Coordinates of all heavy atoms in Angstrom, one line a residue:
D866 N -4.3 -0.4 -5.0 CA -3.6 -1.3 -5.9 C -2.6 -2.2 -5.1 O -2.4 -3.2 -5.5 CB -2.9 -0.5 -6.9 CG -3.9 0.2 -7.9 OD1 -5.0 0.1 -7.7 OD2 -3.4 0.8 -8.9
V867 N -1.9 -1.5 -4.1 CA -0.9 -2.3 -3.4 C -1.6 -3.3 -2.5 O -1.1 -4.4 -2.4 CB -0.1 -1.2 -2.5 CG1 0.9 -2.0 -1.6 CG2 0.6 -0.2 -3.3
V868 N -2.7 -2.9 -1.8 CA -3.4 -3.9 -1.0 C -3.9 -5.1 -1.9 O -3.8 -6.2 -1.5 CB -4.7 -3.3 -0.3 CG1 -5.6 -4.2 0.3 CG2 -4.2 -2.2 0.7
E869 N -4.5 -4.8 -3.0 CA -4.9 -5.9 -3.9 C -3.7 -6.8 -4.3 O -3.9 -8.1 -4.3 CB -5.5 -5.2 -5.2 CG -6.1 -6.3 -6.1 CD -6.6 -5.8 -7.4 OE1 -6.6 -4.6 -7.6 OE2 -7.1 -6.6 -8.3
A870 N -2.7 -6.3 -4.6 CA -1.5 -7.1 -4.9 C -1.1 -8.0 -3.8 O -0.7 -9.2 -3.9 CB -0.3 -6.3 -5.4
I871 N -1.1 -7.4 -2.5 CA -0.7 -8.2 -1.4 C -1.7 -9.3 -1.1 O -1.3 -10.5 -0.8 CB -0.6 -7.2 -0.2 CG1 0.6 -6.2 -0.3 CG2 -0.4 -8.0 1.2 CD1 0.7 -5.1 0.7
V872 N -3.0 -8.9 -1.0 CA -3.9 -9.9 -0.8 C -4.1 -11.0 -1.8 O -4.0 -12.2 -1.4 CB -5.3 -9.2 -0.6 CG1 -6.5 -10.3 -0.6 CG2 -5.4 -8.2 0.4
S873 N -3.9 -10.7 -3.1 CA -4.0 -11.6 -4.0 C -2.8 -12.7 -4.0 O -2.9 -13.9 -4.2 CB -3.9 -11.0 -5.4 OG -3.8 -11.9 -6.5
Q874 N -1.7 -12.2 -3.8 CA -0.4 -13.0 -3.7 C -0.6 -13.8 -2.3 O -0.2 -15.1 -2.3 CB 0.8 -12.2 -3.6 CG 2.1 -13.1 -3.5 CD 2.2 -14.1 -4.6 OE1 2.1 -13.6 -5.9 NE2 2.4 -15.3 -4.4
T875 N -1.1 -13.2 -1.3 CA -1.1 -14.0 0.0 C -2.2 -15.2 -0.1 O -1.9 -16.2 0.4 CB -1.5 -13.0 1.1 OG1 -0.7 -12.0 1.2 CG2 -1.7 -13.8 2.4
Q876 N -3.2 -15.0 -0.9 CA -4.2 -16.0 -1.1 C -3.7 -17.2 -1.9 O -4.1 -18.3 -1.8 CB -5.5 -15.3 -1.7 CG -6.2 -14.5 -0.8 CD -7.5 -13.8 -1.4 OE1 -7.4 -13.7 -2.6 NE2 -8.5 -13.5 -0.6
R877 N -2.7 -16.8 -2.7 CA -2.2 -17.9 -3.7 C -1.0 -18.6 -3.1 O -0.9 -19.8 -3.1 CB -1.9 -17.2 -5.0 CG -1.7 -18.2 -6.1 CD -1.5 -17.6 -7.5 NE -1.4 -18.6 -8.4 CZ -2.4 -19.2 -9.2 NH1 -3.6 -18.8 -8.9 NH2 -2.1 -20.0 -10.1
L878 N 0.0 -17.8 -2.7 CA 1.2 -18.4 -2.0 C 1.9 -17.3 -1.2 O 2.4 -16.3 -1.7 CB 2.2 -18.8 -3.2 CG 3.4 -19.4 -2.7 CD1 3.3 -20.7 -2.0 CD2 4.5 -19.6 -3.9
Q879 N 1.8 -17.5 0.2 CA 2.4 -16.5 1.1 C 3.9 -16.6 1.1 O 4.6 -15.5 1.2 CB 1.8 -16.8 2.5 CG 2.3 -15.8 3.5 CD 1.5 -15.9 4.8 OE1 0.6 -16.7 4.9 NE2 1.8 -15.2 5.8
H880 N 4.4 -17.7 1.0 CA 5.9 -17.8 1.2 C 6.4 -19.1 0.6 O 5.9 -20.1 0.7 CB 6.4 -17.9 2.7 CG 7.8 -18.1 2.9 ND1 8.6 -17.0 2.5 CD2 8.6 -19.0 3.2 CE1 9.9 -17.3 2.7 NE2 9.9 -18.7 3.2
S881 N 7.5 -19.0 -0.2 CA 8.2 -20.2 -0.6 C 9.6 -19.8 -0.3 O 10.0 -19.1 0.7 CB 7.9 -20.4 -2.1 OG 8.5 -19.4 -2.8
T882 N 10.6 -20.3 -1.0 CA 12.1 -19.9 -0.8 C 12.6 -19.7 -2.2 O 12.1 -20.2 -3.3 CB 12.8 -21.0 -0.1 OG1 14.2 -20.8 -0.3 CG2 12.5 -22.4 -0.7
V883 N 13.6 -18.9 -2.3 CA 14.3 -18.7 -3.6 C 14.9 -19.9 -4.2 O 15.5 -19.9 -5.3 CB 15.3 -17.5 -3.5 CG1 14.7 -16.2 -3.2 CG2 16.4 -17.9 -2.4
L884 N 14.9 -21.0 -3.4 CA 15.4 -22.3 -3.9 C 14.3 -22.9 -5.0 O 14.7 -23.8 -5.7 CB 15.6 -23.3 -2.8 CG 16.7 -22.9 -1.7 CD1 16.6 -24.0 -0.6 CD2 18.1 -22.9 -2.4
Y885 N 13.2 -22.3 -5.0 CA 12.1 -22.6 -6.0 C 12.0 -21.4 -6.9 O 12.3 -20.2 -6.5 CB 10.9 -23.1 -5.4 CG 10.9 -24.2 -4.4 CD1 10.5 -24.0 -3.1 CD2 11.5 -25.4 -4.7 CE1 10.6 -25.0 -2.1 CE2 11.5 -26.4 -3.8 CZ 11.2 -26.2 -2.4 OH 11.2 -27.2 -1.6
L886 N 11.3 -21.6 -8.0 CA 11.1 -20.5 -8.9 C 9.8 -19.7 -8.5 O 8.8 -20.4 -8.1 CB 11.0 -20.9 -10.3 CG 12.3 -21.5 -11.0 CD1 12.0 -21.9 -12.4 CD2 13.5 -20.6 -10.8
N887 N 9.7 -18.5 -8.7 CA 8.4 -17.7 -8.5 C 8.5 -16.5 -9.3 O 9.5 -15.8 -9.3 CB 8.2 -17.4 -7.0 CG 6.8 -16.8 -6.7 OD1 6.7 -15.6 -6.9 ND2 5.8 -17.7 -6.5
H888 N 7.3 -16.2 -9.9 CA 7.4 -15.0 -10.9 C 7.5 -13.7 -10.1 O 8.1 -12.7 -10.8 CB 6.1 -15.0 -11.7 CG 4.8 -14.7 -10.9 ND1 4.3 -13.5 -10.8 CD2 4.0 -15.5 -10.1 CE1 3.3 -13.4 -10.0 NE2 3.1 -14.6 -9.6
A889 N 7.0 -13.6 -8.9 CA 7.0 -12.3 -8.2 C 8.3 -11.6 -8.1 O 8.6 -10.4 -8.4 CB 6.3 -12.4 -6.9
I890 N 9.3 -12.5 -7.5 CA 10.6 -11.9 -7.3 C 11.3 -11.6 -8.7 O 12.0 -10.5 -8.8 CB 11.5 -12.9 -6.5 CG1 12.8 -12.2 -6.1 CG2 11.6 -14.2 -7.3 CD1 13.7 -13.1 -5.2
A891 N 11.1 -12.4 -9.7 CA 11.8 -12.1 -10.9 C 11.2 -10.9 -11.7 O 11.9 -10.0 -12.2 CB 11.6 -13.3 -11.9
E892 N 9.9 -10.7 -11.6 CA 9.2 -9.6 -12.2 C 9.6 -8.2 -11.6 O 9.8 -7.3 -12.2 CB 7.7 -9.8 -12.3 CG 7.3 -10.8 -13.3 CD 5.8 -11.1 -13.2 OE1 5.1 -10.4 -12.4 OE2 5.3 -11.9 -14.0
F893 N 9.7 -8.3 -10.2 CA 10.0 -7.1 -9.5 C 11.5 -6.7 -9.7 O 11.7 -5.5 -9.8 CB 9.7 -7.2 -8.0 CG 10.0 -6.0 -7.2 CD1 9.6 -4.8 -7.7 CD2 10.5 -6.1 -5.9 CE1 9.9 -3.6 -6.9 CE2 10.7 -4.9 -5.1 CZ 10.4 -3.7 -5.7
A894 N 12.3 -7.6 -9.7 CA 13.8 -7.5 -10.0 C 14.0 -6.8 -11.2 O 14.7 -5.8 -11.5 CB 14.6 -8.7 -9.8
E895 N 13.2 -7.3 -12.3 CA 13.4 -6.8 -13.7 C 12.8 -5.3 -13.7 O 13.5 -4.4 -14.2 CB 12.5 -7.5 -14.8 CG 12.5 -7.0 -16.1 CD 11.7 -7.9 -17.0 OE1 10.6 -8.3 -16.5 OE2 12.0 -8.0 -18.2
A896 N 11.7 -5.0 -13.0 CA 11.2 -3.6 -13.1 C 12.0 -2.8 -12.3 O 12.3 -1.6 -12.6 CB 9.8 -3.7 -12.3
L897 N 12.7 -3.2 -11.1 CA 13.5 -2.4 -10.4 C 14.8 -2.0 -11.1 O 15.3 -0.9 -11.1 CB 13.8 -3.1 -9.1 CG 14.4 -2.3 -7.9 CD1 13.6 -1.1 -7.6 CD2 14.6 -3.1 -6.7
A898 N 15.4 -3.0 -11.7 CA 16.5 -2.8 -12.6 C 16.4 -1.8 -13.7 O 17.4 -1.0 -14.2 CB 17.1 -4.1 -13.2
S899 N 15.1 -1.6 -14.2 CA 14.8 -0.7 -15.3 C 14.8 0.7 -14.8 O 14.9 1.7 -15.6 CB 13.5 -1.0 -15.9 OG 12.3 -0.8 -15.0
K900 N 14.8 0.9 -13.4 CA 14.8 2.2 -12.9 C 16.2 2.8 -12.6 O 16.4 3.8 -12.1 CB 14.0 2.3 -11.7 CG 12.5 1.9 -11.8 CD 11.7 2.8 -12.8 CE 11.6 4.2 -12.4 NZ 10.8 5.0 -13.2
M901 N 17.2 1.8 -12.8 CA 18.6 2.1 -12.5 C 19.5 2.6 -13.6 O 19.2 2.1 -14.7 CB 19.3 0.9 -11.8 CG 18.4 0.3 -10.6 SD 18.1 1.4 -9.3 CE 19.8 1.8 -8.7
P902 N 20.4 3.6 -13.4 CA 21.3 3.9 -14.4 C 22.5 2.9 -14.7 O 22.7 2.1 -13.8 CB 21.8 5.3 -13.9 CG 21.8 5.0 -12.5 CD 20.6 4.2 -12.1
G903 N 23.1 3.1 -15.7 CA 24.3 2.3 -16.1 C 24.1 0.9 -16.0 O 23.0 0.3 -16.6
D904 N 25.0 0.1 -15.5 CA 24.9 -1.4 -15.5 C 24.4 -1.9 -14.1 O 24.8 -3.1 -13.8 CB 26.4 -2.0 -15.7 CG 26.4 -3.3 -16.4 OD1 25.3 -3.7 -16.9 OD2 27.4 -4.0 -16.2
L905 N 23.7 -1.1 -13.4 CA 23.2 -1.5 -12.2 C 22.0 -2.3 -12.5 O 20.8 -1.8 -12.5 CB 22.9 -0.2 -11.3 CG 24.1 0.5 -10.8 CD1 23.7 1.8 -10.3 CD2 24.8 -0.3 -9.6
K906 N 22.0 -3.5 -12.4 CA 20.9 -4.4 -12.9 C 20.8 -5.7 -12.1 O 19.9 -6.6 -12.5 CB 20.9 -4.6 -14.3 CG 22.1 -5.3 -15.0 CD 22.0 -5.4 -16.5 CE 23.2 -6.0 -17.2 NZ 23.1 -6.0 -18.5
V907 N 21.6 -6.0 -11.2 CA 21.5 -7.2 -10.3 C 21.0 -6.9 -9.1 O 21.6 -6.0 -8.3 CB 22.8 -8.0 -10.4 CG1 22.8 -9.2 -9.4 CG2 23.4 -8.4 -11.7
V908 N 19.9 -7.6 -8.6 CA 19.2 -7.2 -7.3 C 19.3 -8.3 -6.3 O 19.2 -9.6 -6.7 CB 17.8 -7.0 -7.6 CG1 17.1 -6.5 -6.3 CG2 17.5 -5.9 -8.8
F909 N 19.6 -8.0 -5.1 CA 19.6 -8.8 -3.9 C 18.5 -8.3 -3.0 O 18.6 -7.1 -2.5 CB 20.9 -8.9 -3.2 CG 22.0 -9.4 -3.9 CD1 22.9 -8.5 -4.7 CD2 22.4 -10.7 -3.9 CE1 24.0 -8.9 -5.4 CE2 23.5 -11.2 -4.7 CZ 24.4 -10.3 -5.4
F910 N 17.5 -9.1 -2.7 CA 16.4 -8.7 -1.8 C 16.7 -8.9 -0.4 O 17.2 -10.0 -0.1 CB 15.1 -9.2 -2.2 CG 14.6 -8.6 -3.5 CD1 14.4 -9.4 -4.6 CD2 14.1 -7.3 -3.5 CE1 14.0 -8.8 -5.8 CE2 13.6 -6.7 -4.7 CZ 13.6 -7.5 -5.8
T911 N 16.5 -8.0 0.5 CA 16.6 -8.2 2.0 C 15.2 -7.8 2.6 O 14.3 -7.6 2.0 CB 17.8 -7.2 2.5 OG1 17.3 -5.8 2.3 CG2 19.1 -7.4 1.7
N912 N 15.4 -7.6 4.0 CA 14.1 -7.4 4.7 C 14.1 -5.9 5.2 O 13.1 -5.5 5.8 CB 14.0 -8.3 5.9 CG 14.0 -9.8 5.4 OD1 13.1 -10.2 4.8 ND2 15.1 -10.5 5.7
S913 N 15.2 -5.2 5.2 CA 15.3 -3.8 5.8 C 16.4 -3.1 5.3 O 17.3 -3.6 4.5 CB 15.5 -3.9 7.3 OG 16.8 -4.5 7.6

């Protein structure tokens, strides 16, 4: 499932910048925020 997600996204768009809109970052941020307690719901993505 993880390999399929990576390959599918890579075939469509490997990289853009957050200066443009893209559904992948928004959907993951929403899903990640749903796993957090309290008011922890703003996500900054990094590389490590």
Side-chain angles (χ1 to χ4, degrees):
D866 291 7
V867 179
V868 170
E869 182 182 359
I871 292 170
V872 172
S873 176
Q874 181 61 54
T875 301
Q876 289 176 332
R877 191 172 183 90
L878 180 65
Q879 184 177 354
H880 178 72
S881 64
T882 164
V883 291
L884 298 175
Y885 307 121
L886 301 183
N887 186 272
H888 71 94
I890 184 173
E892 290 176 359
F893 183 38
E895 180 183 30
L897 195 55
S899 72
K900 304 299 293 185
M901 308 301 301
D904 204 25
L905 293 164
K906 59 184 180 183
V907 177
V908 184
F909 299 90
F910 287 111
T911 66
N912 305 290
S913 69

